[in-house]
Amino acid sequence: MAKIIGGIGSSHIPAIGAAMDRGIGDTPYWKDFFDGYVPVREWLRREGPDIVILFYNDHGLEMFLDKKPTFAIGAAPEYHNADEGWGIKPIPPVTGETELSWHIVDELVENDFDPTVCQEIKVDHGLTVPLSLMYPGNSYQGVKVIPVCINCERHPMPKPSRCYALGRAIGAAVESFGGDQKVVVLGTGGLSHQLDGERAGFLNTEFDRECMDKLVSDPEALTAYSIEDLVEIAGAQGVELNMWLGMRGCLTGRVREAHRNLVAPISNTAAGLQLLLNE
Ligand code: DHB
Ligand code: FE
């Protein structure tokens, strides 16, 4: 039986990729942010997961406003990034894991989730930046990645309760997969932020802290929020909390918080990082 050993919530902003490329992680602006990743990298190195299931949102690289699946899942042998205009350099392709992808798709459809299946898909900063952060020097090619993409750009967006339920269904699917793979789940984005409009630059770190507390002890409490609530309380792009809820839904055991960091502002966001162990 494949086993989910833990979940990680992480920021995904493109400026992180640019900061790594430029080697400025030790400057006053970035130091607290990058220092936060040291224990998470160390944990990943120690545990050596075989598979990463990664919840992210495609900001327009592959899925623009003209075609926007609510939920999509990758089932490709390999994933490439591409120029999004943020200045992130090309990185080595990400390795896929088609067998478990298809098993998850089968189980999701059987359980009344109907994802778009992507056998060829480019992946954006929502997926690549956290992987580069977790695996220094882009050393992620030995781990197999399953992208799970949630619409967070165009209304109507799936409710937090639905994203949490999607995570539950994926968690159950992994546990019914024959094999002895170690799986880690990532949810990327957030936390509070708004990139445009009258409230551009809006943050709510008090709410972010509350969310991180609830992600450990009472994730169901977060599923009571509507998308409109999240836009108001956490900013228009604070809806990326949905990715963290998908990640948390996958954790089936008793959950312990092993590490947390929250730095604000980093670019336009409150940048969160949380490592949850599935015990
Ligand atoms: C920023 C935040 C995001 O979530 C994103 O997808 C792109 C940029 C930012 O704060 O710069
Ligand atoms: Fe984003």
Side-chain angles (χ1 to χ4, degrees):
M1 186 177 95
K3 186 165 171 34
I4 297 176
I5 59 169
I8 302 169
S10 168
S11 170
H12 67 206
I13 59 174
I16 302 165
M20 287 189 291
D21 288 342
R22 293 167 60 202
I24 55 171
D26 263 340
T27 56
Y29 183 87
W30 287 105
K31 192 168 180 348
D32 289 350
F33 173 85
F34 280 106
D35 281 354
Y37 281 83
V38 174
V40 176
R41 287 188 192 134
E42 178 53 31
W43 179 77
L44 281 169
R45 203 186 53 75
R46 218 167 44 236
E47 293 292 341
D50 305 291
I51 299 171
V52 167
I53 298 176
L54 199 153
F55 291 83
Y56 76 111
N57 52 313
D58 180 295
H59 301 72
L61 175 67
E62 185 73 70
M63 299 159 185
F64 199 49
L65 304 180
D66 57 336
K67 39 184 158 355
K68 200 71 180 167
T70 300
F71 298 125
I73 178 163
E78 198 169 78
Y79 302 95
H80 293 256
N81 76 331
D83 183 10
E84 298 174 62
W86 300 103
I88 310 174
K89 284 193 196 141
I91 54 164
V94 174
T95 313
E97 169 25 276
T98 52
E99 245 188 273
L100 179 55
S101 284
W102 278 110
H103 174 73
I104 291 172
V105 169
D106 286 340
E107 291 297 307
L108 287 181
V109 173
E110 191 60 31
N111 288 287
D112 304 324
F113 282 92
D114 307 298
T116 300
V117 184
C118 305
Q119 290 186 268
E120 194 182 324
I121 181 179
K122 290 190 291 294
V123 288
D124 82 354
H125 65 272
L127 183 138
T128 60
V129 164
L131 272 188
S132 298
L133 257 172
M134 308 284 165
Y135 291 90
N138 293 324
S139 57
Y140 49 72
Q141 285 186 295
V143 67
K144 295 176 167 182
V145 176
I146 299 179
V148 181
C149 191
I150 300 179
N151 167 31
C152 196
E153 287 71 37
R154 199 198 62 189
H155 294 282
M157 297 167 191
K159 294 186 290 188
S161 57
R162 191 73 178 145
C163 297
Y164 183 70
L166 175 74
R168 306 284 296 170
I170 292 177
V174 171
E175 300 217 323
S176 68
F177 185 66
D180 58 358
Q181 298 89 341
K182 267 190 186 179
V183 181
V184 167
V185 193
L186 251 74
T188 86
L191 287 168
S192 61
H193 65 302
Q194 172 145 345
L195 297 178
D196 50 20
E198 270 177 29
R199 296 201 306 162
F202 175 83
L203 300 178
N204 185 348
T205 49
E206 197 181 316
F207 178 69
D208 296 331
R209 276 194 199 93
E210 206 178 293
C211 286
M212 292 174 100
D213 291 344
K214 292 273 189 278
L215 281 161
V216 184
S217 58
D218 187 13
E220 273 89 0
L222 298 174
T223 65
Y225 289 111
S226 66
I227 291 294
E228 290 74 18
D229 291 336
L230 287 184
V231 169
E232 188 176 328
I233 303 169
Q237 280 72 40
V239 176
E240 288 179 350
L241 178 67
N242 267 348
M243 263 51 74
W244 291 52
L245 279 168
M247 171 276 288
R248 179 60 177 86
C250 291
L251 306 182
T252 48
R254 213 156 26 89
V255 167
R256 182 167 72 79
E257 182 180 58
H259 181 66
R260 176 195 293 206
N261 199 29
L262 181 67
V263 189
I266 289 291
S267 196
N268 302 291
T269 70
L273 172 66
Q274 190 168 38
L275 170 59
L276 299 173
L277 304 186
N278 199 25
E279 295 186 322

